[in-house]
Amino acid sequence: MFEDQEIISTIEMVKNENLDVRAVTLGINLFDCISHDLTVFKKNIRKKIIGHAATLVETCDQVGEKYGIKVVNKRISISPIALVGACFSSEQMVEIAHELNDIAKAVNIDFIGGFSALVEKGIANGDQALIDAIPKALATTQRICASVNVATTKAGINMDAVLAMSRTIKKAAALTADEDGLACAKLCVFSNIPEDMPFMAGAYLGVGQADAVINVGVSGPGVIKRAIERNLSQQHLSLGRIAEIIKRTACKVTRVGELIGREVADILNIRFGVVDLSLAPTPTVGDSVGEIFQALGLTHIGVPGSTAALAMLNDAVKKGGAFASSHVGGLSGAFIPVSEDLNIAEAAQKGFLSIEKLEAMTCVCSVGLDMVAVPGNITEQVLAGIIADEMAIGMINAKTTATRIIPVPGKKAGDSVNFGGLLGKASIMDVPHLDLEDIFVEYGGHIPAPIHSLKN
């Protein structure tokens, strides 16, 4: 039972602290749309997606208005196109991307995720066609998000896929050079990708999921920050007490997210899936994960102590969310995207946060190197090395990690880049030794799974 003061504080979160539901994502299974005829396949997926999603945006807005809590993003995730479209060529995959882009416009959502492949243990024909199609598909559409899972704790790291993705990222950046490599902002490389994540760019609907499902991503960095500041202004607290405050606040945020998600699911007559407990920032003052670090007494995110603070924050959010909901999934942690978080971008611009420190912090967060802009002349080998390092963290620690990195054509470290909207803006981060051509990543093959993967 919540106390009166806690109910009042929840109302305060809605009114003054940027509490919102960051994403309601409708997952749609496309396996019953499979056909060897491209025209028939496109017709089938259009009929099924629009059939489920025609009123998604309208329903989310109605429920949000009812409770006074905004649903910021309404999105769709679909079965991996590399699986349901495995018989098609790379050019035909691009046609599928355009069809999905048109469908997204028809139902008025900003992103549809699932232009994806799962290649941790090998690359099949459909996977290769999709990877080959990614640069052109992302460069010639606006609403498609792509992801490729190249590693798992059970399978190890597919280094052939890591190098292929490095080349794919470089091609995607080159095709959108006039937009500062924007296509790469819609592409994630994963280790241990979740099948039920509501957040882009990595959202897709896994093969073990229902025919249609509603997954919800909550937000709340502004709420957590204000809770810490409010309590510290009244008394001195140990870090254990602060962690308890974060946990109780995360619990209330999660309850709000599940309330909205379940009502949307009921109205659409679709199964409710999970709440993703991630703290997702925006490029807005007062809605930043980086500002939480300052509330905790650190000068900037990235200074010594930042990894410990992030570990405490992440754990407290998970514990609070787990108490609030029995259906938790996705990434469930704190995002530290550079360009999408005003405070983190500023810390990187001032030199408090380096790419090496970011990598260290991803050992205790739930995402990875996210929205990191790097110089456009970075070599494929160095890019592949950065991806492989991040995948290794995920593989060894049995957690999700990802790399969403943008080599900005024609720009160097210290230059600024603006991707617009929620993708934000940032300075391009320095990458030591970015012109090396080390052959380590070119050996290819597999880095074997760790010994603890033998658990069964």
Side-chain angles (χ1 to χ4, degrees):
M1 178 70 72
F2 286 109
E3 298 173 357
D4 291 348
Q5 186 59 40
E6 291 181 295
I7 295 172
I8 292 171
S9 73
T10 304
I11 295 171
E12 188 70 13
M13 292 176 188
V14 176
K15 287 174 60 181
N16 301 321
E17 298 172 3
N18 296 316
L19 176 62
D20 53 39
V21 172
R22 185 54 50 85
V24 169
T25 300
L26 168 58
I28 302 174
N29 186 317
L30 297 183
F31 277 89
D32 55 358
C33 300
I34 291 175
S35 170
H36 281 72
D37 185 317
L38 181 59
T39 302
V40 174
F41 178 70
K42 290 195 296 184
K43 182 180 176 182
N44 289 346
I45 62 174
R46 173 175 285 271
K47 180 180 179 181
K48 181 155 189 183
I49 295 173
I50 292 180
H52 281 297
T55 60
L56 174 65
V57 173
E58 178 186 345
T59 302
C60 290
D61 288 342
Q62 286 174 353
V63 174
E65 190 173 334
K66 175 181 175 183
Y67 292 102
I69 299 169
K70 185 178 181 183
V71 178
V72 180
N73 298 300
K74 304 90 175 175
R75 292 166 171 173
I76 294 172
S77 62
I78 55 176
S79 306
I81 291 298
L83 297 181
V84 297
C87 59
F88 299 119
S89 67
S90 62
E91 284 303 315
Q92 290 172 316
M93 290 285 190
V94 175
E95 281 192 53
I96 294 170
H98 281 268
E99 183 71 18
L100 291 169
N101 196 60
D102 288 342
I103 294 170
K105 290 178 183 175
V107 296
N108 196 28
I109 54 134
D110 58 351
F111 286 123
I112 182 166
F115 200 73
S116 305
L118 310 172
V119 297
E120 60 270 12
K121 213 160 188 178
I123 302 175
N125 290 338
D127 303 322
Q128 189 63 59
L130 183 124
I131 291 171
D132 292 343
I134 284 175
K136 189 174 180 182
L138 296 185
T140 56
T141 61
Q142 300 79 44
R143 308 189 187 205
I144 302 300
C145 288
S147 59
V148 177
N149 193 68
V150 302
T152 67
T153 300
K154 278 287 187 183
I157 304 174
N158 183 345
M159 290 298 293
D160 294 324
V162 168
L163 189 56
M165 289 314 299
S166 167
R167 291 168 176 158
T168 298
I169 290 169
K170 289 280 284 185
K171 288 178 186 173
L175 288 177
T176 49
D178 56 344
E179 298 175 285
D180 288 332
L182 180 63
C184 301
K186 300 180 285 181
L187 172 60
C188 275
V189 183
F190 271 95
S191 173
N192 293 319
I193 188 172
E195 298 182 335
D196 52 8
M197 173 176 55
F199 293 108
M200 298 296 168
Y204 80 106
L205 188 73
V207 295
Q209 303 286 309
D211 190 58
V213 63
I214 290 286
N215 294 320
V216 174
V218 298
S219 180
V223 174
I224 299 289
K225 176 201 165 200
R226 283 294 302 133
I228 295 170
E229 289 177 338
R230 191 165 46 242
N231 283 276
L232 284 176
S233 68
Q234 297 167 0
Q235 57 188 320
H236 173 76
L237 297 172
S238 69
L239 289 173
R241 293 283 304 280
I242 294 174
E244 179 68 17
I245 290 165
I246 296 171
K247 186 178 76 174
R248 293 177 73 86
T249 306
C251 177
K252 287 181 275 189
V253 170
T254 305
R255 286 275 173 90
V256 169
E258 181 156 345
L259 171 72
I260 299 291
R262 284 193 179 278
E263 187 145 338
V264 169
D266 286 345
I267 294 172
L268 294 177
N269 195 26
I270 289 173
R271 179 175 175 173
F272 178 74
V274 300
V275 182
D276 185 315
L277 308 177
S278 297
L279 290 179
T282 66
T284 304
V285 175
D287 200 23
S288 159
V289 171
E291 290 175 1
I292 297 175
F293 287 71
Q294 293 179 324
L296 289 170
L298 293 168
T299 312
H300 288 85
I301 184 172
V303 302
S306 297
T307 307
L310 181 59
M312 182 186 78
L313 175 65
N314 222 25
D315 183 65
V317 167
K318 287 178 189 288
K319 287 173 177 171
F323 181 74
S325 175
S326 298
H327 300 277
V328 174
L331 294 166
S332 291
F335 290 5
I336 48 172
V338 177
S339 72
E340 293 180 353
D341 185 308
L342 189 63
N343 189 278
I344 297 177
E346 184 180 280
Q349 190 267 329
K350 291 181 176 178
F352 291 104
L353 183 62
S354 66
I355 195 166
E356 296 91 341
K357 183 63 175 178
L358 260 181
E359 182 184 305
M361 293 174 70
T362 64
C363 297
V364 299
C365 82
S366 299
V367 192
L369 294 173
D370 195 19
M371 289 302 290
V372 179
V374 297
N377 63 339
I378 187 171
T379 64
E380 291 176 354
Q381 290 83 358
V382 171
L383 196 54
I386 292 172
I387 296 170
D389 287 346
E390 194 60 41
M391 299 301 104
I393 290 171
M395 174 188 71
I396 293 293
N397 294 293
K399 68 190 291 296
T400 300
T401 54
T403 302
R404 184 162 52 148
I405 194 166
I406 304 133
V408 183
K411 293 196 174 180
K412 61 183 186 305
D415 291 346
S416 61
V417 59
N418 189 349
F419 299 114
L422 283 176
L423 297 176
K425 57 185 177 182
S427 293
I428 294 172
M429 298 186 77
D430 186 27
V431 178
H433 322 301
L434 83 170
D435 56 350
L436 296 179
E437 296 185 357
D438 294 328
I439 64 170
F440 170 74
V441 295
E442 294 191 341
Y443 285 123
H446 249 82
I447 293 179
I451 186 68
H452 57 259
S453 69
L454 298 181
K455 283 191 295 187
N456 202 344

